[in-house]
Amino acid sequence: MAIFRTYLLLVIAVLGLYTLKVGLDHGWNLIPIFFDNIIAMDWQGQFNMDFMTFLALSAIWVSWRHRFSPGGLILGVVAFFGGMMFLAPYLIWASLKANGDASILLLGNQR
């Protein structure tokens, strides 16, 4: 579990710096660019559509893990729009709360 958490910390650092650089160089208005690429039906759009399905899966899993409670649904929305910058810290928190037990990490405490 320590290697997994270290990986997540590395992801947060690298992706955070990369996002900062891109945002400063190209602006922070990602949504129109993201969907324009999907509408264009090119390889960048295909990648964005594929990525969006991963975001949706992440949102559904986080919401499910919290039994689709109001807080779980809010976390799901944050997971969808926050991507790995939400999911990596969430997984670190959840893995610590699960005391390194992978089944509790994946399923939640109550399952």
Side-chain angles (χ1 to χ4, degrees):
M1 195 61 65
I3 294 171
F4 178 61
R5 290 181 190 135
T6 301
Y7 166 75
L8 292 172
L9 288 170
L10 183 63
V11 165
I12 292 166
V14 170
L15 189 56
L17 291 171
Y18 192 94
T19 302
L20 182 63
K21 170 82 169 109
V22 171
L24 292 173
D25 289 350
H26 299 283
W28 296 99
N29 199 12
L30 167 68
I31 301 296
I33 296 167
F34 185 86
F35 286 107
D36 283 347
N37 286 334
I38 291 174
I39 292 167
M41 299 283 293
D42 58 13
W43 281 114
Q44 184 61 50
Q46 188 280 338
F47 180 86
N48 288 357
M49 181 65 85
D50 186 276
F51 175 60
M52 192 167 58
T53 63
F54 275 103
L55 292 172
L57 181 61
S58 168
I60 292 166
W61 174 73
V62 169
S63 295
W64 173 84
R65 192 173 181 277
H66 290 273
R67 298 180 169 263
F68 295 102
S69 65
L73 293 172
I74 291 169
L75 285 174
V77 170
V78 175
F80 183 81
F81 289 103
M84 189 54 84
M85 292 305 289
F86 164 81
L87 193 60
Y90 176 83
L91 286 170
I92 291 170
W93 169 82
S95 70
L96 291 169
K97 192 167 169 101
N99 294 319
D101 185 327
S103 63
I104 293 174
L105 172 63
L106 291 173
L107 301 174
N109 241 355
Q110 302 151 346
R111 289 189 167 85

